[in-house]
Each structure stands twice: as structure tokens, then as C-alpha cells.
């Protein structure tokens, strides 16, 4: 679904300061464009001071060439170093506002006019920072479409990769760079199509279990997060694709029962990918799992697994892995 774009207001002269000294915005700032926030239509002013939460949010803005419109970013400890990003120079050009979770005081103090995050992935009822609360403060918000599937009152369900495309288009409209967004999306779509065309055709497709973390119960990827699409589009099948959710805990008995041929490791946090693999190999419970018996482990970078442009990098790498595995 494409968005509607408002016609910019044409002003012959800039409005001057009011008696109390406040400045009235110029033509571009005064114009609004209507863009969906999940399934809710919202009128957006063009942002000049955006705050991004996590690598996926910042990457989307940087991929659209919007570093000069970014006030700063919030990067929780789980996120790998920004120096590893394809947009490392853009990260270096803006301020890191916090290495903790997103909160209301932070965005207010930063003077943010737009906050980019996900529902329950940045925005949170429990921590008191939601789009509705920010609306009341006069701060705009943008939510990743991938996280909208259970957003109260305005749920929207799309596959995660389609959600990525939609985010790029919506952000392109909000920031008034729709042609740039269309070009970015077209490149992503061409790369995805190339992986799909080269995917191994086997029935049944190779089964994959994503291991995020956890000892007593593993945390993994259900069908509403990008790894599900990465696995599917590359020619595999997520063993938890029947679970309607995002990141979810399951029992080890479920993993054993579904006998994954490949285990995908989400690489982040204090425990390295190698340490996670060693842990899984050490579990007596998993000795009968084909992935463990065959030593079939694939490492997915954290920013390839959360909604963002690097999803396509992860897809291309996993597509290559599956093709090599099937030779």
C-alpha cells in the first residue's frame, strides 16, 4: 500500500518571529503528508531532528540518505558495534544518545520531532513511551510495520520483508524523498528475487531452528520476525513458522521433535556465536537433532535478524549457505 503525499505549501516570504520571540516554521515544515502508522493514518510534518532506536531504525534512515535529519540514536547493549555497519560514517556523524532502552525523558531532552522504533521493541506501555503518549507531547512517531501485527487498535499484518519495503516507502514519504525510497526498495526486491531464483528446490525444504538465547527454554523466531522470511525466501522452512508471534520461548522437546537440519545462531550479546554453538552441542537433549549431528550451524548477525536493510544481506548469505549445503 502506497501513501498519499501532500502538496507542499508555497509561501512568498518566511513568517517572522512572533512578539514572544518564537519562530513559525517555513513552508516545508508547515506542510503535512498522510502516512500510515501501522493501520492508522497519521499526518506528518517533515522531520528535522529524528531519534532512532536500535540499528534497524537508524539503518533505514541512513539507507535513505537522511543522516542530516537524524538528531541521534539509542543503541542498547545487545546491538553489535556501529563501526561494523555499512553506514558507519553516518553513525559517526550523529550523536549516540544512550546505550540503554528508549524512554520519554531522553527523546524530550533531545528535542526529537520524530522517534523511529518498533511496537514493544522500543515503544512500550510498561516504560511509558508509546506513540499515543508522544502524540500528546507533540512528538511524531514511526513504527516498524513488521511489529504492527498485534498493535492495539490499529493492527496490520504483513510478512516481515514486505514490512521492510513498506517502511522504506513510508519513511521516504515522511521525509519527502519518495523517489529515493522507491530506488532503495527496487534494489532490495531485485536482490531478494535473485536469491529466490537460485534457491534449492527440495521437498520438503530443509528445516531450520533459530537459536537466540536461553538455557532452560530456548528463545527463537516465530513467524512475525525477519528470520522467518530469510529462511523461507532462501528455500528453507522455519520449524516454528506455525507459531503466530515474534520472538518466543519454546521447550527443548519441541526442537527435538521437529528435528531441524540446520540451526541458525543469532549473534549478539555477551555470549558469542561460538559459545552458543558449543552450548548446543553439549546438550544431551539435542544429540539426536540432525543439525547437531551434522554440525550444520549458520550465524546470523543481530542486525540481519531485526527489521532493517541488512535483512537482505542476511538473506543473501543464508541463500548461499543453503546452496552450498545441498551440493
Amino acid at each position: 500500500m502506497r501513501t498519499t503525499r501532500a502538496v507542499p505549501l508555497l509561501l512568498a516570504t518566511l513568517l517572522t518571529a512572533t512578539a514572544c520571540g518564537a519562530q513559525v516554521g517555513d513552508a516545508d515544515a508547515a506542510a503535512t503528508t498522510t502516512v500510515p502508522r501501522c493501520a492508522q493514518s497519521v499526518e506528518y510534518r517533515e522531520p528535522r531532528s529524528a531519534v532512532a532506536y536500535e540499528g534497524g531504525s537508524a539503518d533505514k534512515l541512513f539507507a535513505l540518505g537522511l543522516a542530516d535529519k537524524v538528531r541521534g540514536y539509542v543503541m542498547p547493549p545487545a546491538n553489535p558495534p556501529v563501526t561494523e555497519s555499512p553506514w558507519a560514517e553516518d553513525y559517526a556523524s550523529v550523536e549516540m544518545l544512550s546505550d540503554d532502552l528508549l524512554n520519554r525523558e531522553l527523546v524530550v531532552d533531545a528535542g526529537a520531532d520524530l522517534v523511529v522504533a518498533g511496537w514493544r521493541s522500543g515503544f512500550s506501555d510498561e516504560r511509558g513511551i508509546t506513540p499515543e503518549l508522544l502524540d500528546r507531547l507533540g512528538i511524531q512517531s514511526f513504527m516498524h510495520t513488521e511489529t504492527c501485527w498485534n498493535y492495539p487498535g490499529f493492527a496490520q499484518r504483513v510478512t516481515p520483508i514486505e514490512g521492510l519495503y513498506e517502511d522504506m516507502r513510508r519513511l521516504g514519504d515522511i521525509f519527502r524523498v519518495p523517489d529515493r525510497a522507491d530506488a532503495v526498495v527496487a534494489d532490495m526486491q531485485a536482490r531478494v528475487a535473485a536469491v529466490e531464483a537460485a534457491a534449492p528446490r527440495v521437498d520438503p525444504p530443509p528445516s531450520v531452528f533459530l537459536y537466540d538465547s536461553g538455557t532452560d527454554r530456548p528463545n527463537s523466531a516465530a513467524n512475525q520476525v525477519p528470520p522467518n522470511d530469510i529462511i523461507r525466501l532462501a528455500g528453507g522452512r522455519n520449524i516454528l513458522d506455525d507459531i503466530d508471534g515474534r520472538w518466543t520461548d519454546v521447550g527443548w522437546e519441541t526442537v527435538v521433535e521437529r528435528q531441524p537440519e540446520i540451526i541458525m545462531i543469532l549473534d549478539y550479546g555477551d555470549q558469542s556465536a561460538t559459545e552458543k554453538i558449543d552450548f548446543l552441542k553439549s546438550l544431551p537433549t539435542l544429540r539426536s537433532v540432525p543439525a547437531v549431528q551434522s554440525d550444520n550451524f549458520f550465524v546470523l548477525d543481530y542486525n540481519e535478524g531485526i527489521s532493517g536493510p541488512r535483512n537482505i544481506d542476511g538473506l543473501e548469505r543464508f541463500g548461499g549457505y543453503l546452496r552450498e549445503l545441498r551440493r
Side-chain angles (χ1 to χ4, degrees):
M1 175 177 61
R2 291 311 308 269
T3 61
T4 58
R5 303 184 180 110
V7 178
L9 299 178
L10 300 176
L11 299 182
T13 59
L14 292 176
L15 297 175
T16 56
T18 64
C20 61
Q23 293 264 331
V24 178
D26 62 18
D28 289 337
T32 63
T33 186
T34 302
V35 178
R37 184 175 66 194
C38 294
Q40 179 183 17
S41 292
V42 175
E43 288 190 4
Y44 285 92
R45 304 175 304 280
E46 182 181 353
R48 306 293 175 84
S49 188
V51 167
Y53 176 73
E54 271 199 316
S57 300
D59 286 357
K60 288 175 184 177
L61 297 174
F62 295 150
L64 291 171
L66 297 170
D68 61 330
K69 303 292 179 67
V70 177
R71 166 67 180 84
Y73 60 90
V74 177
M75 202 65 70
N79 205 101
V82 298
T83 53
E84 299 175 4
S85 167
W87 296 279
E89 290 185 8
D90 288 323
Y91 279 103
S93 72
V94 301
E95 184 180 357
M96 181 175 176
L97 300 172
S98 173
D99 61 358
D100 202 351
L101 301 177
L102 194 65
N103 65 73
R104 178 179 55 190
E105 291 74 21
L106 184 150
V107 300
V108 170
D109 289 347
D113 59 6
L114 177 75
V115 179
V116 181
W119 177 240
R120 303 194 67 79
S121 178
F123 295 123
S124 166
D125 278 320
E126 292 80 5
R127 284 185 285 104
I129 180 164
T130 65
E132 291 77 11
L133 182 144
L134 292 178
D135 286 345
R136 293 196 292 271
L137 296 176
I139 301 172
Q140 304 177 119
S141 60
F142 177 89
M143 277 195 293
H144 303 307
T145 308
E146 170 250 338
T147 68
C148 290
W149 72 283
N150 64 346
Y151 179 55
F154 299 97
Q156 182 180 20
R157 188 185 184 100
V158 297
T159 63
I161 291 295
E162 289 297 329
L164 171 62
Y165 300 155
E166 190 62 27
D167 286 348
M168 304 308 291
R169 294 184 182 115
R170 291 179 181 183
L171 287 167
D173 286 344
I174 290 169
F175 282 90
R176 317 304 199 262
V177 289
D179 292 341
R180 200 181 303 169
D182 286 341
V184 170
V185 171
D187 178 70
M188 289 179 174
Q189 291 173 324
R191 292 168 64 190
V192 170
V195 173
E196 285 189 281
R201 309 294 179 198
V202 292
D203 187 20
S207 55
V208 184
F209 167 65
L210 181 140
Y211 178 68
D212 176 302
S213 59
T215 54
D216 295 336
R217 287 172 60 83
N219 185 261
S220 187
N223 61 18
Q224 292 296 308
V225 288
N228 188 72
D229 276 7
I230 288 173
I231 293 166
R232 175 179 60 83
L233 294 168
R237 183 185 64 80
N238 176 11
I239 66 168
L240 301 180
D241 65 359
D242 59 335
I243 296 179
D244 213 22
R246 301 188 69 239
W247 302 100
T248 187
D249 289 343
V250 296
W252 289 115
E253 62 275 9
T254 300
V255 180
V256 174
E257 176 187 315
R258 300 193 179 189
Q259 293 284 285
E261 300 169 62
I262 300 161
I263 295 178
M264 178 180 283
I265 303 293
L266 191 63
D267 188 15
Y268 76 100
D270 294 334
Q271 190 179 28
S272 70
T274 300
E275 289 171 331
K276 290 182 179 181
I277 292 170
D278 289 343
F279 167 69
L280 296 176
K281 287 181 176 180
S282 74
L283 288 180
T285 309
L286 298 185
R287 285 175 184 163
S288 66
V289 169
V292 174
Q293 292 180 341
S294 301
D295 201 28
N296 289 338
F297 292 93
F298 175 84
V299 178
L300 187 73
D301 182 81
Y302 182 79
N303 283 297
E304 294 172 343
I306 63 172
S307 183
R310 284 185 265 181
N311 291 158
I312 313 303
D313 299 333
L315 171 63
E316 289 175 332
R317 291 198 310 105
F318 187 62
Y321 174 84
L322 279 188
R323 292 193 297 274
E324 285 297 317
L325 196 65
R326 287 296 171 181
R327 283 185 176 178

